[in-house]
Amino acid sequence: MSTLNATAPAAQTTTPAAADPRIHLSFVRLVRSEWLKFTTIRSTWWSIALVLILSVGLSLLMAASYASFALDNAEAGMPQGNAVAVQVIVFSTVLTQLLAVILGSITVTGEYSTGMIRSTLTAAPGRSGAVLAKALVVGVTMFVTSIVVFAIIAIVTAPILTTNALDLSEPETALMPLLGAALFLALMAMMGVGIGFIIRNGPGALAIGIGLVFVAPLLVSFFPRVDGFAWIHDLASYLPSNAGQSLFLSGGMSGNALDTVPAVITIVAWAAAALVGGIAVLKTRDA
């Protein structure tokens, strides 16, 4: 009998690279993948377009209002120069701060609604890296978008404001408030990412955003500024909208105006708290 039953080639047991625990996505690659996802969905571009349209439209209305009362303002000693220009340019942040939170939230809740989150967590089983990468992409995009929008507004409102147009020769009063406003919107978008991971539901995340941005400051305004309610107004000073507007305006809808450093720390703390909460929830729940 032939002895051709020579041993067959041993079955290969090499572990696929994708399953090798020693091989993982670096943070840079996570950021790249999040950037690809972020820029290939229509809601991103619709949100950015809405920010641009609202910002330019509201600022043009504000500029026209200032221009129509220019002489009265001068006689009454009202703000002039860069003080006027900055107020006109950042006026729309009253609304776009909410859009920033929504943009951050829908990048997360959209993945949960489509099931894409499972692929994300398969590629990044550590989970925290995916949260931070998404927050970085959304935050940087919002910051750059805000700078571009502010530049467009400065250009289109200059002919209306004339002598009150933005004067770049004074960067402390011209550029710094605008950078503060862009930083504020970027951090609000990052806070939205954290809220999205905590709530995992679009309408729920929207409700939280509206509550923080609009409802809470409005409720505080119902309390009179007397000694018995002073603590409420002190706490309201650290709401995200009040802290943010303290960077580029004299104060927010409620509470007291904060100095630059406490305002920045407050906004960073809100964004960080939301992201830490999002990571904690993501690590303790299944997708």
Side-chain angles (χ1 to χ4, degrees):
M1 179 178 291
S2 173
T3 59
L4 287 178
N5 65 345
T7 58
Q12 294 185 356
T13 59
T14 305
T15 303
D20 191 335
R22 296 170 300 176
I23 300 176
H24 63 280
L25 285 177
S26 65
F27 184 72
V28 173
R29 290 184 176 180
L30 280 174
V31 170
R32 183 173 180 272
S33 66
E34 291 297 338
W35 169 253
L36 290 174
K37 287 189 290 183
F38 185 68
T39 55
T40 52
I41 56 176
R42 286 177 294 180
S43 60
T44 297
W45 301 109
W46 279 111
S47 298
I48 292 175
L50 186 58
V51 168
L52 175 61
I53 294 170
L54 277 177
S55 299
V56 173
L58 290 174
S59 292
L60 283 173
L61 290 174
M62 176 64 80
S65 176
Y66 267 110
S68 64
F69 295 101
L71 293 177
D72 293 337
N73 290 344
E75 294 173 359
M78 296 184 69
Q80 298 293 306
N82 280 340
V84 172
V86 169
Q87 287 184 16
V88 167
I89 293 171
V90 304
F91 175 66
S92 61
T93 57
V94 174
L95 292 178
T96 54
Q97 60 181 332
L98 178 59
L99 293 179
V101 177
I102 293 173
L103 178 62
S105 298
I106 62 176
T107 60
V108 178
T109 58
E111 287 199 36
Y112 276 100
S113 64
T114 61
M116 177 64 72
I117 191 66
R118 296 186 183 90
S119 299
T120 298
L121 299 184
T122 299
R127 302 194 174 192
S128 58
V131 176
L132 297 177
K134 189 180 292 292
L136 180 62
V137 167
V138 174
V140 171
T141 301
M142 195 68 213
F143 182 85
V144 174
T145 299
S146 300
I147 294 297
V148 173
V149 170
F150 293 157
I152 293 173
I153 293 173
I155 293 171
V156 299
T157 58
I160 301 175
L161 295 175
T162 60
T163 58
N164 289 322
L166 194 68
D167 183 3
L168 297 179
S169 65
E170 299 179 5
E172 185 175 347
T173 59
L175 294 179
M176 295 308 294
L178 299 184
L179 290 175
L183 175 64
F184 167 62
L185 292 175
L187 289 170
M188 292 293 280
M190 296 175 75
M191 184 178 74
V193 172
I195 293 174
F197 277 111
I198 294 172
I199 304 300
R200 300 186 174 195
N201 176 270
L206 176 60
I208 295 296
I210 293 175
L212 284 174
V213 171
F214 292 138
V215 177
L218 182 62
L219 289 177
V220 173
S221 66
F222 287 113
F223 292 89
R225 287 184 174 273
V226 296
D227 292 341
F229 297 116
W231 64 275
I232 294 179
H233 293 280
D234 290 339
L235 287 178
S237 303
Y238 299 96
L239 287 172
S241 57
N242 186 81
Q245 292 177 27
S246 294
L247 287 177
F248 48 89
L249 297 174
S250 58
M253 295 172 58
S254 59
N256 308 309
L258 299 177
D259 292 332
T260 300
V261 174
V264 172
I265 292 175
T266 299
I267 305 167
V268 171
W270 276 99
L275 291 174
V276 169
I279 291 173
V281 168
L282 192 61
K283 284 182 173 291
T284 55
R285 292 183 189 172
D286 293 332

